[in-house]
């Protein structure tokens, strides 16, 4: 495959990207695609039409609801939403039914997902209040991290016993946590005491960012994640009407405008490392019937973040760093996260000039709704490529389900 007439971040030239055997073989900065067509006798050519080509987006934080809650989402529908949004890798959280807290459940979950996904994927393993440290030891190289809940959320996976928490941290290669407010400080303290790398999911408060910044300054191996909803939405959106008071509820809840600003500042100064959507779909009927926490987000995260490229808050280099490169680095994903020779050809072509509105009729997720309907895009995903295979192109999907589980380089 050859992608011709492409722009890439931090480069003024128009380039061609040569793909062979699912890898980026070469980036030709002279855009001399005719030579490669002649040499390789290929007609597999994509014309980027002078649009930007980025490394595929990696979403380190999704809830695909499979198995057990597949009326809300499943691996197929969720991965299709990923493809639509330029996401080429997602990591799935363990609070499914059953919880992914034993080696047997992880093996079963993995086997069920084979042949279902449009894009590549991986799994977080869950820490259990019953102390599953032996299971963690047995799967340590087969999962992205150990996910531990310091606050209650969907799935009844809260761990409160300090001794068990320390054991779970001690045997993990990296711990991701759902921790809110003061629980962030508790997670940091345990990580420091056990010398365990820590990944703080969905930070939402300025005080949490301050704790993260202080921990980084102390030399800890610690990372912070922000979600699109905590960056773009706040309590003013919740309080606009009764419908929003039901729809715009999640864990952690939406915060104040000042917290939005603190998160953006933390992205700019490098305190926040990644964007994870916390894609947590529920049917709109469920959301409106009773208080249900979580919103779908995976298919619009890139197009929303591009708004901040257009208004010069961030540039494409920083965007690809926080939406691709850092997640691959933190979770040791092999050959992922960079638009670079010998890396997997996971790519997304975007039109930065398309600022059309997000419409309900275009929603892919099984949940069937989005908190961003009516929002103007900062750019539009045109084409999504996974390991050199087109999975989405100009509104159409290729239903060959080439997605496979990622491998780790540790």
């Amino acid at each position: 495959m050859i992608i011709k007439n492409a722009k890439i971040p931090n480069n003024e030239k128009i380039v061609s990207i040569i793909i062979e055997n699912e890898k980026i073989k070469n980036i030709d900065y002279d855009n001399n695609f005719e030579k490669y067509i002649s040499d390789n006798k290929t007609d597999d050519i994509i014309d980027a039409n002078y649009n930007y080509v980025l490394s595929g987006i990696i979403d380190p934080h999704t809830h695909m609801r499979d198995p057990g809650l597949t009326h809300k989402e499943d691996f197929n529908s969720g991965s299709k939403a990923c493809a639509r949004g330029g996401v080429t890798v997602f990591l799935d959280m363990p609070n499914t039914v059953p919880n992914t807290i034993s080696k047997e459940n992880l093996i079963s979950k993995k086997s069920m997902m084979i042949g279902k996904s449009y894009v590549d994927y991986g799994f977080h393993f869950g820490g259990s209040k019953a102390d599953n440290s032996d299971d963690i030891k047995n799967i340590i190289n087969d999962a992205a991290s150990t996910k531990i809940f310091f606050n209650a959320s969907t799935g009844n996976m809260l761990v409160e016993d300090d001794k068990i928490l320390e054991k779970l941290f001690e045997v993990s290669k990296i711990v991701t946590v759902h921790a809110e407010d003061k629980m962030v400080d508790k997670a940091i303290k345990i990580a420091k005491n056990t010398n365990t790398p820590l990944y703080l999911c969905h930070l939402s408060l300025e005080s949490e960012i301050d704790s993260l910044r202080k921990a980084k300054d102390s030399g800890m191996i610690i990372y912070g994640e922000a979600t699109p909803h905590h960056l773009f939405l706040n309590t003013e959106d919740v309080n606009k009407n009764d419908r929003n008071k039901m729809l715009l509820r999640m864990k952690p809840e939406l915060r104040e405008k000042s917290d939005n600003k603190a998160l953006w500042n933390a992205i700019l100064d490098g305190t926040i490392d990644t964007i994870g959507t916390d894609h947590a779909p529920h049917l709109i009927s469920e959301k409106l019937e009773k208080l249900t926490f979580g919103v779908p987000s995976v298919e619009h995260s890139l197009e929303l973040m591009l708004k901040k490229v257009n208004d010069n808050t961030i540039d494409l280099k920083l965007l690809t760093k926080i939406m691709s490169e850092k997640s691959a680095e933190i979770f040791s994903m092999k050959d992922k996260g960079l638009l670079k020779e010998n890396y997997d050809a996971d790519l997304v072509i975007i039109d930065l000039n398309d600022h059309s509105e997000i419409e309900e009729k275009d929603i892919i997720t099984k949940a069937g709704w989005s908190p961003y309907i009516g929002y103007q895009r900062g750019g539009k995903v045109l084409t999504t490529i996974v390991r050199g295979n087109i999975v989405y192109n100009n509104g159409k999907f290729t239903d060959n389900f080439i997605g496979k589980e990622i491998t780790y380089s540790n």
Side-chain angles (χ1 to χ4, degrees), residues 315-377:
D315 59 20
L316 285 173
K317 181 180 179 181
L318 180 55
L319 180 138
T320 54
K321 182 177 182 180
I322 61 177
M323 296 196 78
S324 189
E325 180 181 345
K326 286 297 291 186
S327 287
E329 176 189 318
I330 291 165
F331 296 110
S332 303
M333 299 180 190
K334 188 176 181 182
D335 297 338
K336 297 292 187 183
L338 290 175
L339 203 171
K340 186 177 179 181
E341 291 172 6
N342 299 318
Y343 276 70
D344 284 356
D346 295 346
L347 305 167
V348 55
I349 304 175
I350 58 169
D351 180 356
L352 271 177
N353 296 313
D354 187 328
H355 301 153
S356 56
E357 283 190 0
I358 295 169
E359 298 183 78
E360 186 173 2
K361 67 180 179 64
D362 298 326
I363 300 297
I364 299 299
T365 170
K366 193 182 282 191
W369 69 283
S370 167
Y372 307 112
I373 291 170
Y375 275 63
Q376 193 177 54
R377 295 176 169 88

Side-chain angles (χ1 to χ4, degrees), residues 1-47:
M1 177 186 286
I2 299 170
I3 303 175
K4 66 178 184 178
N5 301 326
K7 294 180 182 178
I8 59 175
N10 304 307
N11 179 71
E12 295 181 0
K13 290 186 174 182
I14 303 299
V15 306
S16 293
I17 302 169
I18 316 304
I19 298 168
E20 279 189 13
N21 299 319
E22 301 191 336
K23 303 287 186 183
I24 298 171
K25 180 182 180 181
N26 184 36
I27 300 173
D28 186 336
Y29 291 92
D30 294 321
N31 197 30
N32 190 13
F33 56 87
E34 290 94 347
K35 176 181 182 298
Y36 291 94
I37 293 171
S38 174
D39 290 351
N40 295 281
K41 297 180 174 59
T42 182
D43 57 2
D44 190 4
I45 303 163
I46 298 174
D47 191 346

